[in-house]
Amino acid sequence: TAKWIEHLQRPEKAKNFDRFEIQGVITPDAYQEMFKRAKETTSSAGPIHYTIWKCMAADDDLAKWMSIMVSLPFMFGFAPKRWTKMVDVMLEKKKGNRKIHMLRIIGLVAPDFNTALKHFNKLFSDRLESTDALSDEQWGCRPNRQAIDAAMLKLLCFESARTQRTTIACAYYDQVACFDRMLPSLSNILYRRMGMHPKILTARAAVISGMRRYIRTAAGVSEGSYGNEPGEPILCGEIQGKADNPPLYNPQSS
């Protein structure tokens, strides 16, 4: 436990982050840039599709108002009701293979919530990189690192051992359903470690905790939903498909 707490301490390079916290305010310019970068084909819980959000962001006057609306939850730490509704869908990992263990569950959340998380986590990821807070062996979702490079390194190690007839051991840390095993409470500790404002974390946690999850199938979206219920075990996980999962998984895996 002592060793675990030691690794949660703020890096030496990040000691002054309290003076430069990542605040919940999103400026009109940042708001427009957020949705300019968003892909129009991205699915969401609706009812307004990304196309409409991109159009609103393109208008300077609308962007001023919308940037205020999307900032308020992260400035004061609350969860808008619209953000606490999501839709679960199941996607084929391999085309045509619909066996239950070969499908991927993706949670579609509100576009403005997810895009705001992407904005904050760009700042968070930049801090992780600038303070050397990640292990050099951590490859997922990092700049200038591709999955093919990690696979090539592994192949070269195996080929070297085979040529030299050397016995080696390999440990795999890419867990099955890794995002679903993450604990939001631990994620928030890691956020604070790198200087994220507490109100952003309060809003994020409130949305996840209060999330009502509907299910979409070929028959449509379910009328009923599931989620955290009073007196029942808490649903863990960071929701597959949420934009802040990869940068949060990096420090935990690292």
Side-chain angles (χ1 to χ4, degrees):
T1 303
K3 195 68 176 175
W4 178 71
I5 293 175
E6 178 187 333
H7 281 284
L8 289 178
Q9 292 179 0
R10 195 166 283 184
E12 195 62 38
K13 290 184 180 179
K15 294 296 185 182
N16 62 348
F17 277 178
D18 281 333
R19 290 183 296 160
F20 305 101
E21 281 189 322
I22 298 174
Q23 302 287 328
V25 179
I26 298 175
T27 65
D29 289 341
Y31 179 84
Q32 290 183 309
E33 185 63 24
M34 282 161 41
F35 280 100
K36 181 180 179 180
R37 292 177 177 272
K39 294 181 180 179
E40 195 170 343
T41 54
T42 304
S43 298
S44 70
I48 302 176
H49 192 263
Y50 269 92
T51 302
I52 305 299
W53 285 100
K54 288 176 74 70
C55 289
M56 290 191 291
D59 184 276
D60 292 341
D61 292 330
L62 275 177
K64 292 178 182 178
W65 288 100
M66 299 305 294
S67 63
I68 295 173
M69 296 301 292
V70 78
S71 296
L72 288 175
F74 299 108
M75 292 169 61
F76 297 100
F78 67 92
K81 287 186 177 180
R82 183 171 56 81
W83 287 3
T84 58
K85 293 182 180 180
M86 60 169 281
V87 177
D88 277 335
V89 298
M90 300 188 79
L91 306 178
E92 298 175 352
K93 287 186 177 181
K94 294 183 178 180
K95 188 176 181 179
N97 189 339
R98 298 184 180 179
K99 295 178 180 178
I100 191 68
H101 69 288
M102 292 299 292
L103 297 175
R104 173 175 292 164
I105 300 176
I106 298 293
L108 306 180
V109 298
D112 46 340
F113 172 59
N114 216 28
T115 306
L117 290 181
K118 190 177 294 185
H119 167 73
F120 292 129
N121 279 279
K122 172 64 169 64
L123 304 176
F124 177 68
S125 296
D126 289 346
R127 289 198 167 181
L128 289 174
E129 297 293 344
S130 65
T131 55
D132 299 326
L134 299 176
S135 166
D136 192 50
E137 296 180 7
Q138 179 66 37
W139 284 79
C141 301
R142 297 185 66 184
N144 304 317
R145 295 184 180 227
Q146 300 181 22
I148 190 67
D149 298 328
M152 182 61 70
L153 283 173
K154 185 171 70 172
L155 176 63
L156 290 173
C157 289
F158 287 172
E159 284 299 299
S160 177
R162 185 180 66 84
T163 303
Q164 299 176 56
R165 298 183 180 181
T166 303
T167 301
I168 63 172
C170 185
Y172 294 94
Y173 293 103
D174 187 10
Q175 294 184 1
V176 175
C178 55
F179 293 164
D180 295 323
R181 298 184 180 193
M182 293 165 63
L183 302 177
S185 53
L186 177 57
S187 297
N188 283 348
I189 292 174
L190 291 166
Y191 267 136
R192 283 296 297 145
R193 178 176 182 257
M194 302 307 290
M196 190 79 80
H197 194 278
K199 293 299 183 182
I200 298 177
L201 310 184
T202 304
R204 200 187 76 88
V207 171
I208 297 174
S209 176
M211 192 69 78
R212 301 306 306 177
R213 309 172 187 225
Y214 298 81
I215 300 172
R216 180 183 296 170
T217 65
V221 178
S222 64
E223 294 182 1
S225 64
Y226 71 98
N228 287 320
E229 305 291 353
E232 296 293 330
I234 296 175
L235 293 174
C236 293
E238 284 282 353
I239 304 175
Q240 284 271 16
K242 197 157 52 58
D244 55 353
N245 290 344
L248 275 174
Y249 184 71
N250 276 349
Q252 295 189 38
S253 171
S254 194

